[in-house]
Amino acid sequence: MSSGQDVQVGFEAVRSRAALSLLDDRALLVATGEDRSTFLQGMLSNEIASLSAGEGTHALLLTEQGRVVADLRVYALENEAWLECPASARGDVRAGLERFIVADDVELDTSDAVGIAVRGPGAVDTLAAASGEDLTAFAEGQHRTLQAAGAGARVVRLSDLGVDAFHLWLPAGDRDAVLAALREHGAEDVSDEALEVQRVVAGMGRLGTEYGLDTLAPEVPSLDRAISYKKGCYLGQEVVERIASRGKVNWKIATLRAAEPVEPGDAIKTSEGEVGRVTSVVRRPDDGVVWALARIRTRASEPGTAVTIETGGKEQVAEVVPPAPQA
């Protein structure tokens, strides 16, 4: 457990400097075979077939009913594709994809590569100093192999927890040397608690907490970037398109500010009665304000909506607010 001071320093680092952490909660699957691109195009929620080597995108693996198996980042390489997914869901993703491989020339294997994240406005300068290469012109999803501390790492630029970030994937034996090089050039180690504050304040849902197999993808605003509404068929598309044409869902993941501490699972109420439940709670270390994520009825999810949260036998005043990734 980190001290309050450590959490505040880490929270400030991820929002204004360069925050360093391990990506032990993420893992890689590697897709090979001549049909990998067309197969993934038909399975995942975003455009995959159009990716060239060195490009990447966010995507979702859904069930046939449009519910979320996992959130992915897909990276196209010359002869394979990497699927970065929650480590806890890697087995589910592999099984969910493999059951549809029939005559396709596609194989899926786990990778032993380990990940490092550098997040924040200073991340690009830290990577440049550590590798000797300027990544300022890198677009979202672009990736390539760079040398740092004598080790080769595949570096991907992406938006993560609402801020500019880079994910580095490399052999486990090289991780300590690369971490040391990044620290030497300005990256600051941050705690899981600090990153959790940033996640909640930025309105970023998490698999197993805000969404999962009981959640329709369009219910989660932070997953919108992983869905293409222009591509052809993919697993779960009919449900997603039906929701899009109807224009709404019954539930949303929303961001709240509360007057006092609340707990995950607490009931959220309006004058109409219960409208949702709290899913995640943090206290901002800079100003002490309580922020939460909640699964809430769409009719009560608009910013500015006043609600009460029933916690510990008392009712606390709260308000639905927009996410604040960098404010």
Side-chain angles (χ1 to χ4, degrees), residues 2 7 21-22 25 190-198 206:
S2 301
V7 173
S21 62
L22 302 181
D25 60 335
V190 298
S191 66
D192 291 342
E193 291 92 335
L195 295 175
E196 177 69 355
V197 176
Q198 174 62 20
R206 179 174 59 202

Side-chain angles (χ1 to χ4, degrees), residues 1-274:
M1 181 68 69
S2 301
S3 70
Q5 182 64 29
D6 289 342
V7 173
Q8 179 162 347
V9 171
F11 182 61
E12 292 170 352
V14 76
R15 296 166 79 83
S16 61
R17 299 190 295 275
L20 180 65
S21 62
L22 302 181
L23 277 175
D24 289 343
D25 60 335
R26 306 288 290 182
L28 293 179
L29 280 171
V30 179
T32 55
E34 291 295 321
D35 298 332
R36 65 187 182 280
S37 182
T38 54
F39 173 75
L40 293 172
Q41 177 75 3
M43 294 296 298
L44 304 180
S45 64
N46 214 340
E47 289 287 349
I48 307 299
S50 62
L51 294 177
S52 299
E55 296 179 336
T57 192
H58 294 269
L60 304 174
L61 175 62
L62 306 176
T63 66
E64 292 93 325
Q65 294 77 34
R67 301 182 184 276
V68 184
V69 177
D71 54 290
L72 311 173
R73 294 168 180 133
V74 182
Y75 310 133
L77 283 74
E78 198 66 45
N79 296 306
E80 57 192 20
W82 290 7
L83 309 181
E84 181 193 319
C85 60
S88 61
R90 182 165 66 173
D92 293 335
V93 172
R94 183 174 185 176
L97 292 172
E98 285 184 335
R99 71 189 182 97
F100 288 96
I101 298 175
V102 182
D104 308 274
D105 180 13
V106 182
E107 291 188 9
L108 295 170
D109 291 296
T110 57
S111 169
D112 294 330
V114 295
I116 297 170
V118 188
R119 303 179 176 97
V124 66
D125 291 335
T126 291
L127 263 294
S131 68
E133 298 197 39
D134 185 4
L135 303 180
T136 304
F138 252 37
E140 169 87 13
Q142 275 192 274
H143 54 93
R144 59 175 296 186
T145 298
L146 297 180
Q147 295 293 318
R154 181 155 293 271
V155 180
V156 189
R157 190 175 202 172
L158 66 166
S159 176
D160 188 13
L161 303 185
V163 298
D164 188 28
F166 293 86
H167 285 189
L168 291 75
W169 290 96
L170 66 166
D174 293 332
R175 184 158 69 176
D176 286 349
V178 173
L179 285 169
L182 293 169
R183 292 179 184 120
E184 181 182 350
H185 292 95
E188 304 171 45
D189 291 286
V190 298
S191 66
D192 291 342
E193 291 92 335
L195 295 175
E196 177 69 355
V197 176
Q198 174 62 20
R199 181 185 75 83
V200 173
V201 170
M204 308 302 294
R206 179 174 59 202
L207 183 70
T209 305
E210 277 71 45
Y211 58 87
L213 291 175
D214 59 348
T215 314
L216 294 168
E219 294 176 352
V220 189
S222 61
L223 298 181
D224 284 350
R225 61 184 174 173
I227 302 173
S228 169
Y229 290 94
K230 297 179 180 179
K231 66 174 288 185
C233 294
Y234 61 87
L235 197 63
Q237 184 207 22
E238 288 186 11
V239 175
V240 173
E241 289 294 335
R242 188 160 62 245
I243 292 171
S245 64
R246 192 176 63 193
K248 68 172 186 176
V249 288
N250 294 326
W251 296 89
K252 282 281 189 181
I253 300 301
T255 310
L256 285 74
R257 276 201 308 254
E260 300 291 342
V262 296
E263 296 291 335
D266 285 346
I268 302 167
K269 297 182 176 181
T270 66
S271 58
E272 300 177 1
E274 184 173 323

Side-chain angles (χ1 to χ4, degrees), residues 301-319:
S301 68
E302 286 298 314
T305 303
V307 298
T308 57
I309 301 177
E310 192 172 86
T311 182
K314 300 178 181 179
E315 288 192 344
Q316 306 289 359
V317 177
E319 180 184 3

